[in-house]
Amino acid sequence: SAVISQKPSRDICQRGTSLTIQCQVDSQVTMMFWYRQQPGQSLTLIATANQGSEATYESGFVIDKFPISRPNLTFSTLTVSNMSPEDSSIYLCSVEGRGRYEQYFGPGTRLTVT
Amino acid sequence: AQSVSQHNHHVILSEAASLELGCNYSYGGTVNLFWYVQYPGQHLQLLLKYFSGDPLVKGIKGFEAEFIKSKFSFNLRKPSVQWSDTAEYFCAVNAPGRDDKIIFGKGTRLHILP
């Protein structure tokens, strides 16, 4: 299985600021995914990031708010822009597993916006 | 749109008790089904999956799940739980005929009393 790390593991940020979350994988992967898990809610897919192309965003998520970079096959970043308390959540990075529909998840970044 | 319902948000059992966690999904076509587990302080990881074939699927650590197509269900079972099974369990579904997205349920927090 892939080993995925995320930085930072947690952060407390002020309203109106932005935070960039990094996701590093120990092997080359084509597809990387970013999820949000709000308190008491399920994991919600924000976007799919393929190397060399623009990220594909799910309904309700836009590039201006959640810009994503995917510069190579082992790394991606998600930025949460102009944060509000509603953005307080755990943000998870995941990658495709051995099977097409299997995914491996990172440890998550716990974000609190005050 | 696809959705996943997990009926139990919080389950408390004693060791050696039998476990069944309910999961229902809404999608009429072909589905892939998953159970993921997140142990305290650890990453989300795949417990078992169903793609096709035998509807009774065996996973790691003695877990199994049964796909009942007529009931749109994929319940997770374990005949005798251990304290180490304390974790959060997520049911998830993917509709391969539509897209690559995996839709997650809200999770069930399982607490095993020693």
Side-chain angles (χ1 to χ4, degrees), chain A residues 37 42 58 100-102 105, chain B residues 34 49 100-102 105:
Chain A
Q37 185 180 15
S42 63
E58 297 301 310
R100 181 178 174 187
Y101 300 107
E102 295 182 26
F105 285 83
Chain B
F34 309 84
K49 64 182 187 285
D100 289 338
K101 287 194 301 185
I102 296 180

Side-chain angles (χ1 to χ4, degrees), chain B residues 17-110:
Chain B
S18 64
L19 170 72
E20 181 160 4
L21 301 183
C23 173
N24 287 91
Y25 64 93
S26 65
Y27 182 67
T30 301
V31 291
N32 298 322
L33 295 157
F34 309 84
W35 275 97
Y36 281 83
V37 60
Q38 187 167 27
Y39 298 102
Q42 296 188 27
H43 303 192
L44 200 62
Q45 59 185 286
L46 184 66
L47 193 59
L48 49 77
K49 64 182 187 285
Y50 170 81
F51 282 7
S52 63
D54 189 343
L56 185 61
V57 181
K58 305 254 185 227
I60 59 173
K61 303 188 180 185
F63 285 92
E64 65 179 30
E66 185 174 13
F67 170 50
I68 303 179
K69 188 174 182 179
S70 61
K71 295 185 178 179
F72 298 89
S73 70
F74 191 56
N75 292 355
L76 181 70
R77 300 194 295 247
K78 185 170 183 178
S80 177
V81 294
Q82 301 172 300
W83 177 79
S84 58
D85 294 324
T86 295
E88 190 156 17
Y89 294 80
F90 294 90
C91 182
V93 64
N94 159 260
R98 290 183 57 152
D99 52 39
D100 289 338
K101 287 194 301 185
I102 296 180
I103 308 297
F104 285 83
K106 291 188 178 182
T108 298
R109 195 174 294 274
L110 176 65

Side-chain angles (χ1 to χ4, degrees), chain A residues 6 9-10 21 34-40 42-44 46 78 80 86-93 106-112, chain B residues 38 88 109:
Chain A
Q6 285 184 234
S9 58
R10 59 178 62 225
I21 301 168
W34 286 98
Y35 287 84
R36 180 174 72 183
Q37 185 180 15
Q38 293 179 303
S42 63
L43 282 76
T44 303
I46 297 172
L78 169 76
V80 187
E86 292 71 36
D87 294 320
S88 296
S89 186
I90 297 173
Y91 292 85
L92 293 146
C93 167
T109 295
R110 185 179 294 272
L111 170 63
T112 303
Chain B
Q38 187 167 27
E88 190 156 17
R109 195 174 294 274

